[in-house]
Amino acid sequence: MASDMTSTGRAVASWQPRVTEFAYELVRFAGILALTLLGLIFITFIIGRVVPIDPVLAIVGDRALPETYARARQELGIDLPIYQQFWIYLLKVVQGDFGTSAMTSRPVLYDLAQFFPATLELATAATLIGVVVGIPLGVVAATHHGRWIDHVTRVVGLVGYSIPIFWMGLVGLLVLYAWLGLVAGPGRLDIGYDGLVEPVTGLITIDSAMSGDWDVFANALSHLVLPASLLGYLTLAYVSRMTRSFMLAQLSQEYILTARAKGMPERRVIWRHALGNIVVPLITVVALSYASLLEGAVLTETVFAWPGLGLYITRSLFNADMNAVLGGTMLIGAIFVCLNVFCDLLYRLLDPRART
């Protein structure tokens, strides 16, 4: 009993410094996150004010009387000095008020909640495709360095980087939808299925599966597969390239040569030891790719009429709806910053060398 208590006490004592250190890092990263978001709000606000777009005209129209224009300008607070405008805007943002969209006449926060799940569903599916295919492809290319599979992997990556996503989207729609009829067309659902499932998460595939409506699920999946595959191809190209590079660096290390010399099975050497040592940098690669998809799916959403955040921001920009543009930009920036902070925390948690 005494030895157990001693052992337990030592275990608790050994964990206390790590917990304290992790709590300290968490507080430090929370401070960095707050300062970064404040800087993001400031830069986004200044850019929104200096661009040659008049948000007042988007509300009153270009045929409004001068008195109407002046009154709207005063109500929006645009006649105030810019530092006062920023302070008022910052106080509203802290309270969750991003203003009202001139395009939809609804609160911007409500619009973001409506459009963001579509982008989240598309980016998540694309990332899953890129990771599930890209990592094994990169590993196989590295272990067969200089052979035909390695050359094929590099060509796949080069094509993914070289061909514009909107061109691949148009060709995919023409061939797979219009000619062969293998997938559904633009949008998230056919008109006949729209509104049949009560939104819970906003992700139609998840909501339809939760409600047990498999016809809606199949239709939503058919709409999702083509845009997700195209975006997933971009992720696949990047992830496979980085995985190949990381694996080549590991395969030349002495511990790999020692494991092989001791007769360890090659599969265990590759998939357990070499791949296990590149998990941390791969997490960073995947997280940043995911964040890039969330902010870079604009062209794909436009081509496929996908009602996501990218399409919302694009239409808001064309309609000079600066409240919506600022709100969408800050949401994407906040996601990007949070994913970076998450990666740093995870990196420090998994790799002791990063904590020194």
Side-chain angles (χ1 to χ4, degrees):
M1 177 67 72
S3 63
D4 290 343
M5 291 179 60
T6 303
S7 175
T8 305
R10 286 176 180 173
V12 171
S14 65
W15 272 100
Q16 282 179 343
R18 294 190 61 183
V19 172
T20 305
E21 182 184 358
F22 184 74
Y24 169 76
E25 292 293 338
L26 199 60
V27 172
R28 191 170 72 88
F29 277 113
I32 294 174
L33 178 62
L35 290 176
T36 306
L37 289 179
L38 179 62
L40 175 67
I41 294 173
F42 177 73
I43 293 173
T44 308
F45 178 82
I46 294 299
I47 292 176
R49 287 295 182 266
V50 299
V51 292
I53 297 176
D54 192 345
V56 181
L57 286 179
I59 297 175
V60 300
D62 54 1
R63 295 184 179 180
L65 296 174
E67 296 79 11
T68 306
Y69 179 86
R71 188 168 60 252
R73 184 178 171 84
Q74 185 178 11
E75 290 176 354
L76 291 175
I78 299 179
D79 57 333
L80 297 172
I82 195 164
Y83 69 88
Q84 290 187 15
Q85 294 183 41
F86 175 70
W87 178 247
I88 295 172
Y89 185 73
L90 180 62
L91 291 179
K92 289 184 176 179
V93 168
V94 170
Q95 297 171 7
D97 181 8
F98 289 83
T100 302
S101 168
M103 183 175 64
T104 64
S105 301
R106 297 183 305 223
V108 171
L109 195 60
Y110 175 84
D111 281 346
L112 295 178
Q114 295 297 311
F115 285 93
F116 181 66
T119 299
L120 183 66
E121 186 174 43
L122 179 61
T124 303
T127 302
L128 287 175
I129 293 172
V131 170
V132 170
V133 180
I135 290 179
L137 192 61
V139 171
V140 172
T143 54
H144 295 76
H145 181 55
R147 299 181 185 176
W148 67 270
I149 186 66
D150 185 26
H151 298 313
V152 169
T153 302
R154 285 190 288 176
V155 170
V156 167
L158 185 63
V159 171
Y161 283 118
S162 304
I163 299 180
I165 185 69
F166 69 90
W167 187 85
M168 287 195 291
L170 292 175
V171 172
L173 281 174
L174 178 66
V175 175
L176 299 177
Y177 167 61
W179 289 358
L180 302 177
L182 296 177
V183 297
R188 298 181 76 187
L189 282 172
D190 289 343
I191 295 177
Y193 293 97
D194 199 12
L196 294 181
V197 174
E198 186 70 23
V200 178
T201 64
L203 311 179
I204 294 180
T205 51
I206 302 296
D207 291 343
S208 57
M210 290 171 60
S211 64
D213 197 331
W214 298 109
D215 288 338
V216 176
F217 176 81
N219 189 261
L221 194 63
S222 181
H223 280 268
L224 178 64
V225 64
L226 184 56
S229 298
L230 292 177
L231 278 177
Y233 180 43
L234 295 180
T235 308
L236 182 154
Y238 181 56
V239 171
S240 64
R241 186 183 182 89
M242 297 305 296
T243 304
R244 175 182 177 274
S245 177
F246 292 151
M247 283 296 292
L248 284 176
Q250 290 297 318
L251 292 177
S252 60
Q253 297 293 318
E254 289 186 358
Y255 76 92
I256 295 292
L257 301 177
T258 304
R260 285 172 171 165
K262 289 183 177 178
M264 185 177 293
E266 185 68 11
R267 180 176 299 179
R268 188 174 180 182
V269 172
I270 299 299
W271 295 99
R272 182 172 178 177
H273 293 280
L275 185 61
N277 276 340
I278 66 171
V279 166
V280 174
L282 271 184
I283 289 175
T284 304
V285 168
V286 172
L288 294 182
S289 299
Y290 187 53
S292 300
L293 287 181
L294 286 174
E295 69 173 338
V298 176
L299 287 176
T300 306
E301 292 183 358
T302 303
V303 171
F304 288 92
W306 192 264
L309 194 58
L311 192 61
Y312 175 69
I313 294 176
T314 304
R315 289 177 176 173
S316 300
L317 194 58
F318 286 149
N319 288 281
D321 187 356
M322 294 310 298
N323 280 340
V325 173
L326 291 176
T329 304
M330 278 190 287
L331 175 61
I332 292 174
I335 292 171
F336 199 87
V337 171
C338 289
L339 281 175
N340 269 286
V341 171
F342 172 75
C343 287
D344 284 341
L345 282 173
L346 197 61
Y347 194 89
R348 288 171 178 270
L349 185 65
L350 296 178
D351 190 351
R353 294 170 296 180
R355 298 195 291 268
T356 59

